[in-house]
Each structure stands twice: as structure tokens, then as C-alpha cells.
């Protein structure tokens, strides 16, 4: 199968480089409707492998609309969300009950020293400046506390239609983020012990409309000029209608990387 009908995927970016605070402006509704949640089993297993004591009091950084926060909420003693985008904080407040969301960044967390047992980051660490972010995360963690970075990966090997839809798309130019080598920074950080990871399949059933919302919520699509973005999404919808089975199940894998704070 060939994706010849798909318009070029992010072939240009906004004149001003987006940041984690601005790259998702206007996407909050699509983000909440279509972004996957996270497999709690992967998070718990990664913490166990890393030698962390448990979940306890949690700070969820770059919480977005609360996708990861709500997964953690039933397991935490307490939880607070940190999110730099005003529009995302508003969406978080609408979608997530019983959790305070604070304005803040990973490099300047608005929490006291040694105030939480766990810091979590869902699909966002690549937006952080790794060295100052890791130092700040270590500051707010109690001794022996843990950091978990969770990401949802496309399992294109499990769905030929998905591989076909993104055959051309995923090789195109992307939005550049400052922390793309976050794993390397974590492995070399003096603040944390060697990271451990666990993964769990976490498939999501979506409508075709929700799948387009999922693509709309990607920063690399959001920063396109409106006409270019509309053309890309229209071409993507045509391919989904042609190639994707019904029900439309998107195969994801939650990969969680955990590291224990030294000391």
C-alpha cells in the first residue's frame, strides 16, 4: 500500500519556533478527545524495577488536559498538576476533578524542596531543557523518590494500515524540541540512578473523526499554516477511510522509563 495521496507532512514550521507552552495552542479539545491514556501497568512495573517505594505524593509535569494525571489519581496519596499553557490548564480544570493545576515549567517547578515522592511526565520531556529540568525534579523529590517518563508509541508493526498511513508522514520534517535526547541526559545525570523501563500494549479504539483529532493534536501538525494543515488532514482522512479497518483500533504501546533519585 502506498501513501501517494497524502500531502507533504510538516514541510514548514511557524516563523517563530514553537515551545512546549505554545505548540499546542488551539488543540486542547482535539487533545482531550483523541490522545491516548497511559497503561498504569507499565508505570508501576518501571517504578518497581527502578527500586522506587511506590507512588505516594505525585507531581505531574506538563500535564496537558490530564490524560496521565487521571490514570495516576486513584493510586496516589495526593497529586498536583503543573502545566505552562493557559489554554491547557483551562481544559485540564474542565476534564479533571479534584486535582489542582498550577502554572509552571519543569525548569521552575512551583513546589517546595522534597515535597513529593514521584514526578511524572507524559509525552512531554522532549520539550524540557533536560539538565535544568532534571536538577529541578530532583529538588522537589524526597530522597529515594522517583521520576517516570511515559510515552505512547505507535505499534505500526501490529497494524499494516497504520504503517501505510504514516509511510510518508513520519519521515518528514518535525518540530524541533530542546530535549529530544532526554534519555541520554537522564542516564548521565548525577541526580538519578540508572533508569529502568517497562512497556505494555495499550490499544485505543477511535472513530475516524477521533483519529483525525489525534493527528490534529500533534504539535508538528498544529504549527502548519491553516491551509496546509487543512490539506494534510483532509488527505489523511481519505487514507484512513480507504485503508483503516472498522472498528478502527490504533495499536499503542505505553513505555515508561523510571529512575530513582540518589540520596
Amino acid at each position: 500500500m502506498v501513501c501517494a495521496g497524502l500531502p507533504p507532512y510538516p514541510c514548514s514550521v511557524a516563523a517563530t519556533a514553537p515551545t512546549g507552552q505554545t505548540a499546542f495552542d488551539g488543540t486542547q479539545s482535539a487533545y482531550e478527545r483523541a490522545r491516548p491514556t497511559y497503561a498504569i501497568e507499565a508505570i508501576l512495573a518501571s517504578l518497581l524495577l527502578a527500586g522506587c517505594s511506590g507512588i505516594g505524593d505525585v507531581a505531574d509535569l506538563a500535564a496537558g488536559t490530564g490524560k496521565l494525571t487521571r490514570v495516576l489519581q486513584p493510586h496516589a496519596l495526593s497529586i498536583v498538576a503543573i502545566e505552562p499553557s493557559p489554554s491547557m490548564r483551562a481544559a485540564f480544570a474542565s476534564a479533571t476533578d479534584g486535582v489542582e493545576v498550577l502554572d509552571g515549567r519543569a525548569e521552575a517547578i512551583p513546589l517546595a524542596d522534597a515535597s513529593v515522592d514521584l514526578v511524572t511526565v507524559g509525552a512531554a520531556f522532549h520539550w524540557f531543557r533536560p539538565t535544568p529540568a532534571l536538577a529541578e525534579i530532583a529538588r522537589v523529590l524526597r530522597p529515594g523518590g522517583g521520576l517516570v517518563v511515559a510515552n505512547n508509541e505507535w505499534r505500526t508493526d501490529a497494524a499494516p494500515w497504520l504503517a501505510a498511513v504514516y509511510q510518508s508522514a513520519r519521515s518528514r520534517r518535525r518540530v524541533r524540541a530542546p530535549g529530544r535526547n532526554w534519555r541520554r541526559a537522564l542516564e548521565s545525570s548525577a541526580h538519578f540512578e540508572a533508569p529502568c523501563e517497562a512497556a505494555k500494549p495499550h490499544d485505543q479504539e477511535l472513530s475516524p473523526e477521533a483519529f483525525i483529532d489525534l493527528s490534529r493534536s500533534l504539535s508538528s501538525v498544529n504549527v502548519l499554516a491553516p491551509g496546509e494543515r487543512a490539506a494534510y488532514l483532509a488527505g489523511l482522512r481519505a487514507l484512513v477511510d480507504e485503508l483503516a479497518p472498522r472498528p478502527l483500533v490504533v495499536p499503542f504501546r505505553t513505555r515508561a522509563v523510571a529512575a530513582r533519585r540518589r540520596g
Side-chain angles (χ1 to χ4, degrees):
M1 292 183 284
V2 183
C3 293
L6 187 61
Y9 177 81
C11 57
S12 64
V13 295
T16 301
T19 66
Q21 185 174 0
T22 63
F24 301 95
D25 285 352
T27 70
Q28 56 270 20
S29 295
Y31 195 107
E32 175 59 25
R33 283 193 299 267
R35 283 286 183 118
T37 61
Y38 296 84
I40 189 64
E41 299 90 344
I43 293 167
L44 295 175
S46 69
L47 285 169
L48 181 64
L49 290 169
C52 298
S53 56
I55 290 184
D57 298 315
V58 180
D60 187 26
L61 296 184
T65 65
K67 289 286 185 174
L68 178 55
T69 312
R70 295 194 294 272
V71 169
L72 295 163
Q73 192 174 5
H75 305 273
L77 292 178
S78 70
I79 187 165
V80 62
I82 315 293
E83 170 56 48
S85 165
S87 61
M88 282 292 191
R89 287 198 304 274
F92 181 102
S94 296
T96 309
D97 293 329
V99 179
E100 184 179 17
V101 57
L102 303 177
D103 180 9
R105 300 177 294 109
E107 300 86 355
I109 301 172
L111 298 176
D113 294 358
S115 56
V116 295
D117 301 295
L118 178 65
V119 171
T120 57
V121 184
F125 209 107
H126 53 285
W127 289 108
F128 305 165
R129 289 180 292 125
T131 298
L134 288 169
E136 185 69 345
I137 290 167
R139 179 187 67 78
V140 303
L141 281 172
R142 294 170 182 141
L147 163 66
V148 170
V149 180
N151 287 287
N152 283 310
E153 304 168 343
W154 302 91
R155 295 194 299 126
T156 53
D157 58 323
W161 71 268
L162 185 60
V165 165
Y166 278 102
Q167 175 180 316
S168 116
R170 297 188 67 79
S171 65
R172 298 288 179 174
R173 184 177 177 184
R174 301 305 198 113
V175 173
R176 295 184 181 274
R180 58 189 305 181
N181 293 321
W182 65 266
R183 178 67 181 264
R184 186 183 307 165
L186 178 58
E187 290 171 348
S188 62
S189 174
H191 300 289
F192 291 92
E193 297 176 1
C196 299
E197 69 175 59
K200 175 77 174 177
H202 192 54
D203 298 354
Q204 308 280 294
E205 183 172 337
L206 300 175
S207 67
E209 294 77 16
F211 185 83
I212 301 307
D213 276 339
L214 175 61
S215 300
R216 171 70 179 87
S217 76
L218 299 175
S219 60
S220 48
V221 173
N222 190 47
V223 299
L224 296 174
E228 189 178 2
R229 182 171 62 235
Y232 173 74
L233 293 174
L236 182 62
R237 177 58 194 263
L239 281 170
V240 169
D241 288 343
E242 176 187 355
L243 301 177
R246 302 294 188 273
L248 196 161
V249 178
V250 183
F252 287 102
R253 176 190 299 108
T254 296
R255 185 175 303 280
V257 178
R260 189 174 185 269
R261 181 189 182 277
R262 295 188 187 274

